[in-house]
Amino acid sequence: MTTSDDATKNGSEESADQAEAIEAVENVEGTAAETTPETEEKKETAKCTGGGLIIFTFIAGLVISLIVGWIIFPKLLYSKKDQPINFNHKLHLEEVDNSCESCHFFREDGTYAGVPTLAQCIDCHEEVEGDSPDEERFVNEYVAKNKEVPWLIYSRQPDCVFFSHAAHVKGAGMDCQTCHGEIGESESLKPYEENRVTGYSRDIWGKNISGITTHTWESMKMDDCAKCHAEAKVEASSVQTKKDACFVCHK
Amino acid sequence: MKEEGKHGKANKFGMVIDLDKCTGCGSCMVACMSENNVSFKEDESDKRLSITWMKVYRITNGKKFPDAEECFLPRPCMHCEGEHSGHSPCVSVCPATATDYSTQTGIVSQIYTRCFGCRYCMAACPYHARHFNWWDPVWPEGMEKFLSPNVSPRMRGVVEKCSFCFHRYQLAKDKAYMDGRREIREEEYQTACTQACPAGAITFGDLNNKNHKVYKLVKPDNKHHGKPRNPHAFRLLERLKTNPKVYYLSSRDWVRAAGDNYTVEEKRKGITSGSGSGH
């Protein structure tokens, strides 16, 4: 009770203060005042610049916070890392016989092998073949030491997510591009961007901070999965959401 | 459960546990914990704090020697369907949509990242099937390397429970897609406890499928909330109308009677499991 009383008291004191202040301003203006039309005009402009300043400060503040929120913060939010080796998909596609499957294949039990292990490279890279520094580094630092390359995975989902390549590639016959874009035809790997707060890859949320995308592969958030699933009429099995049940994509 | 979509008829996965066969060895509990990345507590003997998705209870008929009898009763999550699809006690109280009921599998899910630990579901669950993580999980040095990547570990402050090894369903689905199938076979999706039980007391399968063992064992009356037609089959707390998907078999009357909380009066009149007021 006392607190609310205090609050009202404070409130009325404040408004009293304000009233005084306003009077004071008018008095200051008033001292110079001989009520000629000229001074009337001056009074008007003084009031105008006061209001203008407030509006200006407001707009400036808004602009600054928009810049911070939409440009600086997203820049700070993500840290950039280079892949351990710059891999050239285009070059390799001409070398292998079985296209993507040579390196990205399904195991017999339906799980997906994902990014290749050294076993997929060793046949061709036992020794340095060409004169590319990347290849040299790859052979000396990884192949010779029999150490797996710690690839950074752009599409890596949080641990609680279950994703099935079999369902999409084998079941629905989708191509890799739908979800991964042009990586398969690229000549170099883009830097990997990691969210400093969550540790997730930027490719989950996408480049566009407002979440607007024009291609299906630009982001792969829960909503993006769910949107396509709704369009593709994957069972609406959830009692809670009337979409597909949580236990389709989660584990 | 009428909808028939891309994946054919809806499944209703359930379990039948034969209490006449259960020896109380606890293999199911161990298998469950290692399968589902359940961590250890400092004091595992404190049963209020320990986490056991599958828990074996010991019940007795309360009589003196030579009439004393006991029975072991393994208790996973019952994956209640409720009076209408998904009206499970826990799902209907969750304020965060962290627990969900799938009409496609009949499985009650728990999404740990969504859960904020209010524990309404634990209060609502009449089976004590849900557990709260008071601490972040800790494994003995080096053991985290042996965790299953198919089950996401839980963190402090969330509720967890048995999922009928749903990740095994996901893997079975993957295999089926590989072979160009949409339906999975009975033997492709079995829970860890089912496979671990040395006595063969646990059976798992689709209660909607007349060819599956679980269906043959209990003959659920799916038109009447899955009420078992086998007179030896019963469900825990049938009268609460939670419509669980875990059935128990026992040839002993007192065991079946222990499945519900009958009053002394009712027991005297012989109103026990199977003839309760349920559907």
Side-chain angles (χ1 to χ4, degrees), chain A residues 101 105-112 158-173 200 222 229 231-251, chain B residues 3-8 85-87 90-92 94 96-105 107-113 149-153 163 166-167 169-171 173-179 182:
Chain A
E101 286 265 327
F105 56 92
F106 285 95
R107 300 191 192 94
E108 235 166 66
D109 66 358
T111 54
Y112 197 55
D159 187 59
C160 63
V161 175
F162 170 80
F163 180 78
S164 158
H165 274 93
H168 299 92
V169 177
K170 299 282 172 189
Y200 301 154
M222 181 152 95
H229 281 194
E231 283 163 10
K233 302 214 163 35
V234 178
E235 252 73 56
S237 50
S238 165
V239 187
Q240 291 264 33
T241 63
K242 310 285 178 271
K243 296 184 197 162
D244 35 357
C246 311
F247 257 13
V248 170
C249 313
H250 286 280
K251 62 182 187 198
Chain B
E3 71 253 51
E4 202 166 316
K6 255 205 176 72
H7 296 262
S85 192
H87 197 72
C90 53
V91 173
S92 50
C94 179
T97 330
T99 184
D100 188 11
Y101 184 90
S102 166
T103 53
Q104 190 60 33
T105 58
I107 291 178
V108 176
S109 63
Q110 177 77 12
I111 309 299
Y112 316 116
T113 44
N150 300 321
V151 180
S152 66
S163 65
F166 183 70
H167 57 286
Y169 172 81
Q170 290 174 321
L171 296 180
K173 261 319 239 294
D174 263 6
K175 174 84 172 74
Y177 275 118
M178 223 28 211
D179 303 346
R182 286 288 193 304

Side-chain angles (χ1 to χ4, degrees), chain B residues 39-51 135:
Chain B
S39 76
F40 308 102
K41 301 291 163 290
E42 214 157 88
D43 179 7
E44 271 294 326
S45 67
D46 187 342
K47 295 302 175 204
R48 276 186 320 129
L49 301 180
S50 67
I51 294 179
W135 301 277

Side-chain angles (χ1 to χ4, degrees), chain B residues 58-75:
Chain B
R58 180 174 150 267
I59 54 175
T60 62
N61 63 351
K63 293 196 176 140
K64 290 242 161 58
F65 177 81
D67 299 321
E69 270 186 50
E70 63 177 19
C71 175
F72 293 99
L73 187 141
R75 187 247 44 218

Side-chain angles (χ1 to χ4, degrees), chain A residues 1-11:
Chain A
M1 275 290 109
T2 41
T3 45
S4 74
D5 269 341
D6 282 352
T8 43
K9 227 184 268 167
N10 281 345

Side-chain angles (χ1 to χ4, degrees), chain B residues 215-277:
Chain B
Y215 184 90
K216 290 181 189 158
L217 279 171
V218 296
K219 308 211 173 47
D221 185 355
N222 285 335
K223 293 216 173 57
H224 294 95
H225 294 183
K227 223 173 137 47
R229 278 176 291 208
N230 175 348
H232 281 175
F234 68 99
R235 297 186 287 185
L236 292 183
L237 306 179
E238 175 81 58
R239 299 198 297 180
L240 291 183
K241 301 181 184 173
T242 49
N243 191 359
K245 281 196 273 299
V246 177
Y247 295 80
Y248 293 91
L249 296 177
S250 179
S251 53
R252 292 181 280 183
D253 288 338
W254 73 267
V255 172
R256 293 201 301 276
D260 219 325
N261 45 2
Y262 297 96
T263 61
V264 178
E265 182 65 10
E266 280 170 328
K267 275 187 191 152
R268 200 177 49 76
K269 285 190 193 150
I271 302 172
T272 48
S273 170
S275 52
S277 67

